[in-house]
Amino acid sequence: MAEKTTDPDAAALSQEEIDAEIAAIHGDYRAQRDAGGVVETNARLNFPPYRSSLLRHPTKSLHHADPEDIELHSPAFGHRDVSPLEADLTLQHNGEPIGERIIVTGRVLDGDGRPVTGQLVEMWQANAAGRYMHKRDQHPAPLDPNFTGVGRALTGPNGEYSFTTIKPAPYPWKNHHNAWRSAHIHFSLFGTDFTQRIVTQMYFPGDPIFDLDPIYQSITDQAARDRLVATYDHSVSQHEWNTGYRWDIVLSGSNRTWAEEDEEH
Amino acid sequence: MKLTPTPGQTVGPFFGYALPFAGGEDLVDRTHPDAVRLHGTVYDGDGVPVPDAIVELWQPDQRGVIPQEPGSLHRDGYTFTGWGRAAVDATGHYSFTTMEPGSTGDGVAPYFLLTVFARGLMDRLFTRAYLPEAAAAVDQDRLLSSVSEERRGTLLATRDADGGLRFDIHLQGELETVFLTYPNTPQFTGPQG
């Protein structure tokens, strides 16, 4: 095997070599799980097929901390921070963006199944040609002057959120030769506890690139990977207007007790 | 009902037009009489600065009161919301203008909470930056006293000549920062090395 390089512009290995690395890691995982081992629910911090993770993952165990007062709370965001218009990415310019108009909607819940209400959801994405409005994205696909690709919303009383946007396209990256990312939307979420903070990515069902994408495959368990894939929902599609996707997001459980929450309200 | 949390994913390289916002790194105005700079560099396992990381800050005020004031995304110049967000620059350096936190209770030395995101980092990392003075009273803090002596220093900010606070973050390597995990937080699995 070629020397492992973490240079983001290296594009050294072939897709076949990366595929073999992924298959070996997933095979080892399934064997230990089937032998009664741990079921993984997260991305691995160290996932060598994603070359940039090699020098950027901690090698020592994370240190267990009992959450203190401040970690049981979260920064607060309100309607002063977020305009309702920010949830519609197709309205941010004078003209209509190019591409398939979609609505992405769902609920944000905590690990105990409680809706996470009034919390900030941020999202960002590439345009319908697979290009970000970012000066360092030099992929030669067109920029859309009517699409920035950034949205914000506050979750509603049942934890619901909804974004109107354009379906992003896959795009090339230089992790290896002919490397392409599955189409995705980045999501950033806050819970009621500081400890619930998460950044993740939502994917689209049936993407042909899933098997080839080391970032998506960094989650070794298929059931866990499936949690990042939205569902096409025809009831969210609208006549002559948009197609619809549903994606629920689960944060970790709150470390705060109900009694403490009662005191605050 | 117990639900399995959604897995995290890397913030990727192209958050620059989405997450940072005007004044995000200024929790107070730099002319505030108690303003202090909290800054540092994010390093990878080779000791090379990470140019595409972003750091979030969350802290109590000087009296140890935890702010619950909304308004963080549009700074009004007055409200201390306790929260900030700063992308590193091309040399991996982040900088916040803030106030020093107070203790939130007995057995708690004052600290800043930091959340670290970066391209190549698959999930966010949590850590705490303690004020340098905590070094003299380690036994009185629950967390610091639970960290081995050889790694404890990675949780302590150092004092600049101008009174500012420096806190470097090492994602990996000999000086790897102590990163925290909490009850209910999904545990990382798989080989770490």
Side-chain angles (χ1 to χ4, degrees), chain B residues 137-151:
Chain B
V138 162
D139 296 344
Q140 287 155 45
D141 183 81
R142 288 189 291 256
L143 183 93
L144 280 180
S145 57
S146 74
V147 176
S148 70
E149 204 174 336
E150 67 204 41
R151 298 195 65 207

Side-chain angles (χ1 to χ4, degrees), chain A residues 67-73 260, chain B residues 58 64 66 104-105 108 111 142:
Chain A
E68 291 171 353
D69 259 357
I70 185 148
E71 285 146 326
L72 299 176
H73 294 79
E260 285 172 81
Chain B
W58 172 228
I66 298 162
T104 54
V108 180
Y111 56 83
R142 288 189 291 256

Side-chain angles (χ1 to χ4, degrees), chain A residues 72-137:
Chain A
L72 299 176
H73 294 79
S74 199
F77 302 95
H79 294 286
R80 190 151 64 101
D81 296 292
V82 183
S83 155
L85 290 173
E86 292 183 77
D88 190 337
L89 286 75
T90 68
L91 293 181
Q92 295 172 352
H93 299 274
N94 288 330
E96 285 282 334
I98 301 294
E100 177 187 346
R101 190 184 295 107
I102 60 172
I103 285 180
V104 177
T105 187
R107 296 177 73 204
V108 182
L109 303 170
D110 74 11
D112 301 311
R114 290 190 292 250
V116 174
T117 64
Q119 297 294 333
L120 179 66
V121 181
E122 297 165 281
M123 59 86 100
W124 71 102
Q125 61 170 92
N127 68 22
R131 180 138 179 208
Y132 286 93
M133 187 71 78
H134 189 291
K135 61 181 183 297
R136 275 169 38 198
D137 186 355

Side-chain angles (χ1 to χ4, degrees), chain B residues 44-136:
Chain B
D44 73 11
D46 280 345
V48 173
V50 173
D52 37 20
I54 184 163
V55 180
E56 288 180 355
L57 173 64
W58 172 228
Q59 65 166 101
D61 71 12
Q62 290 158 302
R63 297 163 297 156
V65 175
I66 298 162
Q68 286 293 286
E69 297 284 344
S72 285
L73 290 181
H74 295 289
R75 304 293 192 187
D76 65 9
Y78 294 94
T79 310
F80 182 75
T81 65
W83 186 75
R85 176 183 277 169
V88 299
D89 63 19
T91 66
H93 187 254
Y94 72 91
S95 181
F96 291 101
T97 306
T98 187
M99 298 190 291
E100 294 195 10
S103 168
T104 54
D106 290 342
V108 180
Y111 56 83
F112 303 95
L113 281 166
L114 296 173
T115 318
V116 186
F117 307 86
R119 180 182 64 81
L121 173 58
M122 211 61 86
D123 204 354
R124 56 57 209 116
L125 295 170
F126 297 124
T127 190
R128 295 181 184 174
Y130 283 83
L131 299 181
E133 293 71 29

Side-chain angles (χ1 to χ4, degrees), chain A residues 142-156:
Chain A
L143 281 169
D144 183 342
N146 291 317
F147 190 74
T148 303
V150 178
R152 292 190 191 89
L154 295 174
T155 52

